[in-house]
Amino acid sequence: EGETAFTPAFRAAVTPQVLMCRRLEAGTINTGLSQLQVICNELRKRGKLSKTVGNGLRRVLHPYIDSKTYLSVLFTLSPSINNSKATESTLKFAVTAGMVKVKPIKTTGKVNFKSLVAELKAHIEEQEKMIDANNSKIEAIRRQQNRTTLAIEQATNPNKFAGGGGGGSQVEKTRMVKVKKEVVNDD
């Protein structure tokens, strides 16, 4: 059935390597679909999946298929006469998948929406306070960074900040270079 996709026109248009890759890909897809069909047959006959984990698609799906799982399978069909065998096989598979019947399980717990809303609002307020505190820390760090940048500029260009020609005593120049240190708490 996978071979029907490899029309003579397709075979002529691609290299032998691409054709081999497509055949391997089709084989992998067919193996996965076969495993899915086995899963559907097990669910249809027993109502549950056996404990055999297996490999491939079955191994991936096995932990998630239980009595609380909602499965959706989408089947696509081709109108082309070249794909009539594949379409017929897909329709048979769709019928098998449609025969799967499981008993729904009623949930036992109830949700108290008032308490849930109150809990979520408290969480949001806590997060907003944390954001405000972090924004304050960021602003304090930026102010410290600006003062440090200014101090470095004053130290490297004393004439620019001397207030007219670079005059003044050594004590005044030293005073201009000192930076007021601001403590930023990490809590």
Side-chain angles (χ1 to χ4, degrees):
E1 293 170 14
E3 283 293 314
T4 59
F6 303 122
T7 60
F10 176 78
R11 289 180 187 166
V14 297
T15 64
Q17 293 85 5
V18 170
L19 184 61
M20 178 59 73
C21 289
R22 294 295 178 241
R23 282 189 172 146
L24 292 172
E25 183 180 17
T28 304
I29 291 170
N30 284 339
T31 301
L33 288 173
S34 296
Q35 290 174 350
L36 187 59
Q37 193 167 16
V38 169
I39 289 171
C40 287
N41 281 331
E42 278 185 42
L43 290 173
R44 181 175 57 92
K45 290 178 183 174
R46 291 196 218 158
K48 65 179 183 176
L49 210 53
S50 68
K51 295 191 186 279
T52 306
V53 176
N55 58 18
L57 184 63
R58 182 182 177 98
R59 183 181 202 91
V60 171
L61 293 177
H62 194 276
Y64 303 104
I65 297 177
D66 59 12
S67 58
K68 297 178 183 177
T69 303
Y70 184 78
L71 294 175
S72 294
V73 182
L74 176 67
F75 296 95
T76 57
L77 307 173
S78 172
S80 171
I81 193 69
N82 293 336
N83 296 326
S84 61
K85 282 186 177 180
T87 298
E88 185 179 334
S89 176
T90 301
L91 286 171
K92 287 178 183 176
F93 182 27
V95 168
T96 303
M99 297 170 95
V100 173
K101 301 289 182 214
V102 291
K103 296 177 185 174
I105 297 175
K106 184 179 178 182
T107 58
T108 56
K110 290 185 178 180
V111 177
N112 185 346
F113 288 104
K114 288 183 180 180
S115 66
L116 179 63
V117 168
E119 186 179 317
L120 291 174
K121 283 183 179 179
H123 180 70
I124 289 171
E125 287 177 13
E126 182 182 313
Q127 294 295 314
E128 287 175 346
K129 287 178 184 177
M130 189 186 314
I131 290 170
D132 290 340
N134 286 340
N135 284 339
S136 297
K137 286 180 187 179
I138 290 170
E139 286 301 317
I141 290 169
R142 284 186 180 148
R143 285 192 302 272
Q144 180 67 34
Q145 182 183 15
N146 290 339
R147 283 193 293 274
T148 304
T149 304
L150 180 63
I152 291 170
E153 285 183 28
Q154 288 175 345
T156 56
N157 299 321
N159 293 337
K160 184 177 177 183
F161 297 97
S169 68
Q170 185 65 25
V171 175
E172 289 175 0
K173 290 180 182 178
T174 305
R175 235 183 269 141
M176 280 195 279
V177 172
K178 288 186 179 178
V179 176
K180 185 177 180 181
K181 185 177 178 182
E182 183 174 321
V183 178
V184 178
N185 293 333
D186 286 0
D187 38 30

